[in-house]
Amino acid sequence: MAEGLRERKKRQTRQYISDVATGLFLERGFEAVTVAEVAQAADVSVNTVYNYFPAKEDLFLDRSKGVIDRLSRWVRGRPDGESAAGAVLRELRDEVESVSPRVGLMDGYARFMKVVHESPALRSRMWAIGQEVLVNLEVTLRDETGASADDPVPALMAGQINWLHGTVMMTIGQRMVAGGRPAEVSRDTLLLLDEMEELLSEKVLNYAVRGAQ
């Protein structure tokens, strides 16, 4: 269904407010900028800002929704014969090898991470997002395997698989903040992924293979 004029204007307004806020946060730091200042710079009311962004943190981490269900989407989209861990490893390698900004491999990501590191509120929100990723993945693994609610294995497997994603994202962030170039960080992260895969047990690597009997 084509996007209507009203929906398009709302999306554009939301993006504009987010862009203005991000520029202010990058320039002055997250804690130093108020929502009222964002509203003034964007030429909208404070209520309008909160209509689009329930919390100040949402202004800076406005793309977190795509991260929260990322691992679940990868697992659900795996082809026949591929395990849950295999799907995540494959997708991560694809993102890293293509030097994708979706995993932080872009110029400017160091500034973004610097703002996060300097803000307790943003660090707390990033931790909460990580927990949502983990919970979503566990739910997906239960659905995909038909495991019962009291079966601990999906939660254990989710923790192992989420470790791959979390470690890659943390490593990329640290390397970019330290002055790494996207292509260089990409090459080193691909080697790290190989080492991480070797640390996973066969049980993890062969869990939830699509089409397996």
Side-chain angles (χ1 to χ4, degrees):
M1 184 179 295
E3 182 181 42
L5 178 62
R6 178 181 174 84
E7 288 73 22
R8 182 168 68 254
K9 285 186 174 181
K10 289 177 65 176
R11 175 176 55 79
Q12 291 171 340
T13 298
R14 187 184 192 281
Q15 187 61 58
Y16 177 68
I17 294 171
S18 174
D19 290 345
V20 169
T22 298
L24 291 173
F25 295 146
L26 290 174
E27 178 183 354
R28 296 165 49 193
F30 183 78
E31 309 295 342
V33 178
T34 66
V35 173
E37 288 173 319
V38 171
Q40 183 178 19
D43 196 24
V44 298
S45 70
V46 171
N47 284 340
T48 297
V49 174
Y50 279 120
N51 283 340
Y52 287 98
F53 302 94
K56 180 182 172 184
E57 292 82 0
D58 298 324
L59 283 161
F60 195 63
L61 302 173
D62 62 314
R63 296 191 175 104
S64 62
K65 185 176 181 180
V67 175
I68 288 170
D69 68 350
R70 177 186 285 172
L71 299 189
S72 289
R73 283 188 284 108
W74 288 350
V75 169
R76 290 195 180 100
R78 71 196 187 285
D80 285 346
E82 187 171 62
S83 68
V88 171
L89 283 164
R90 173 177 51 78
E91 293 282 2
L92 279 173
R93 284 196 175 97
D94 287 348
E95 295 280 10
V96 173
E97 189 171 17
S98 65
V99 196
S100 171
R102 288 186 293 269
V103 290
L105 291 169
M106 62 180 179
D107 293 327
Y109 191 64
R111 292 179 64 199
F112 172 87
M113 290 305 301
K114 186 173 183 292
V115 173
V116 172
H117 289 161
E118 292 176 349
S119 168
L122 287 177
R123 292 200 306 272
S124 177
R125 176 58 67 87
M126 291 284 278
W127 180 87
I129 289 170
Q131 293 303 111
E132 289 187 69
V133 172
L134 180 60
V135 170
N136 276 0
L137 180 58
E138 179 188 343
V139 170
T140 296
L141 292 177
R142 290 190 186 280
D143 289 343
E144 292 288 309
T145 62
S148 62
D150 60 352
D151 185 347
V153 173
L156 296 173
M157 291 295 180
Q160 293 285 300
I161 296 170
N162 185 58
W163 166 72
L164 294 167
H165 179 259
T167 301
V168 165
M169 295 303 296
M170 180 183 68
T171 300
I172 290 174
Q174 290 174 341
R175 289 291 307 278
M176 295 298 290
V177 168
R181 303 299 300 163
E184 173 192 2
V185 176
S186 168
R187 290 192 297 270
D188 292 344
T189 305
L190 286 172
L191 294 176
L192 176 66
L193 271 165
D194 289 341
E195 294 178 2
M196 293 171 71
E197 182 174 3
E198 290 179 1
L199 292 174
L200 294 176
S201 71
E202 288 300 313
K203 187 171 183 179
V204 175
L205 291 171
N206 293 305
Y207 179 75
V209 173
R210 171 150 288 165
Q213 299 297 322

